Amino acid sequence: MKRNLSAIKKALQFGISGAVGGFAGNLITEPFMQRLNNSTSVFDSVLSTTRWFGLVGGGIATAIMLGYYYYIKGKPQIKQALKNGGLFGLITGAISGAIAEGIFSGIGDGENEILRVICWGIAGSLLGLGLSKRIPNLGLLRGAGGGGVGGLLGGCLFILFAYNLSGVAGRLAGCAAIGFWIGIMLVVAETLFNKAWLVISYDNGANRTLTVGAEPVTFGSDENLSIIYIPGVSPLAMRFQLEAGQIACENVDSGAVSYLRSGDQKRIGNCTITVGNSDLPAASSPPVSQTIISHKSPADSSNNGQFFLKLGSRVMPLTAGTQLLTSDIPSLTATASNGVVALVNSRSKDQLSLGLTNLGDRTWWATDIQGDIKMIEPESTLTLALGTKIEFGEIEGEIVRS
């Protein structure tokens, strides 16, 4: 749910940014539009459209990059948006405008509105392709596809506005519509077809979603080194990346790497990062156990002494074979008729490591002493470690020594 709400917010932010950019770009070109309208040859039309959509494309790209930086950093980054969106948007827009006008004027008769819409789709696709090189892990296909669909939808509205509004108003509204739909569809394409993502939940209630791919998603207190700014941590503290079908999380300071599944969480600074994936293939190598990402040394999880589960005022011993019933943890429901909701088992032959297996019908959430959060689904097992807190629905327990 958080991912969907965050994606909707992101799409609207990109769409509104694109609309403002398209409007502003066309507004700049309006003094020169009379020459475009009076073009007498295909070459003049192509040249005029190249200049026109170059500025429009530059406006759309700059504004979408501005929206992107505001989305991930929470504040405007005008200089970066101009640097990474302005020039390439101008060039990409000019090229796409020239191609589209060349097709429309050279192949068509200048009156074929279906061909005009197709040309807007081509222009949007090339612009989205350019943006895919600036937005991490958007991808060439998603960028081109989202931009193309956005260009088609915006092109339909452009024609509608052109027929129902005056020349200037129609072009302004039409270019705003094109920018809006390109921004919207880039996020839609990214959300529908990405394989892995991160939902970043801040302590103040804000949420952001980023795609995980070959390009690392970085977290830290140095904005020049990190995509996501987190105050009070190392300049470059944590890195997420898709490696051979697995989501790898690296603690940059310690070098520790953990391989995460959907639902696993990491805590850093003022936010909690939840990993999600759709159809990631299983790793060809044996599963890699998760490592703790922390500056602190992990607690000794071997059973050198007796573990106990503290539930409120009750303390229950945990030894191999111990069964916890619904009467022990009323917030859980057993899947079997014997009423067992959890079972302590040995995870090694010498019984130095114990695990607690979830035999209920709902997921637990376990938080270790470093603050890392892990989802314990039904039929999965949590390795017992001192200080780990477990949410059994409405009841919270803690692993203690006595």
Side-chain angles (χ1 to χ4, degrees), residues 147-193:
V149 173
L152 290 172
L153 294 173
C156 292
L157 289 175
F158 186 97
I159 294 171
L160 179 65
F161 292 143
Y163 276 106
N164 290 278
L165 299 173
S166 66
V168 175
R171 285 189 295 270
L172 288 171
C175 288
I178 290 170
F180 177 81
W181 281 110
I182 289 176
I184 287 281
M185 294 311 300
L186 285 175
V187 178
V188 170
E190 178 189 45
T191 303
L192 289 179
F193 300 107

Side-chain angles (χ1 to χ4, degrees), residues 4-18 71 180-188 190-191:
N4 293 334
L5 291 175
S6 182
I8 292 173
K9 176 184 176 182
K10 185 177 181 180
L12 288 174
Q13 195 159 321
F14 276 43
I16 293 171
S17 298
Y71 177 79
F180 177 81
W181 281 110
I182 289 176
I184 287 281
M185 294 311 300
L186 285 175
V187 178
V188 170
E190 178 189 45
T191 303

Side-chain angles (χ1 to χ4, degrees), residues 263-338:
D264 286 348
Q265 294 184 321
K266 292 292 180 181
R267 178 74 184 177
I268 177 172
N270 62 348
C271 69
T272 299
I273 305 163
T274 304
V275 172
N277 66 52
S278 54
D279 58 348
L280 290 177
S284 57
S285 58
V288 182
S289 59
Q290 292 197 32
T291 59
I292 302 300
I293 303 295
S294 174
H295 293 289
K296 303 177 182 179
S297 299
D300 181 9
S301 61
S302 62
N303 192 27
N304 294 329
Q306 177 69 59
F307 279 129
F308 292 83
L309 176 63
K310 183 178 180 181
L311 292 170
S313 60
R314 293 181 299 153
V315 179
M316 295 176 286
L318 300 177
T319 58
T322 298
Q323 296 179 340
L324 301 178
L325 308 176
T326 53
S327 57
D328 298 315
I329 311 177
S331 59
L332 301 181
T333 301
T335 56
S337 58
N338 60 6

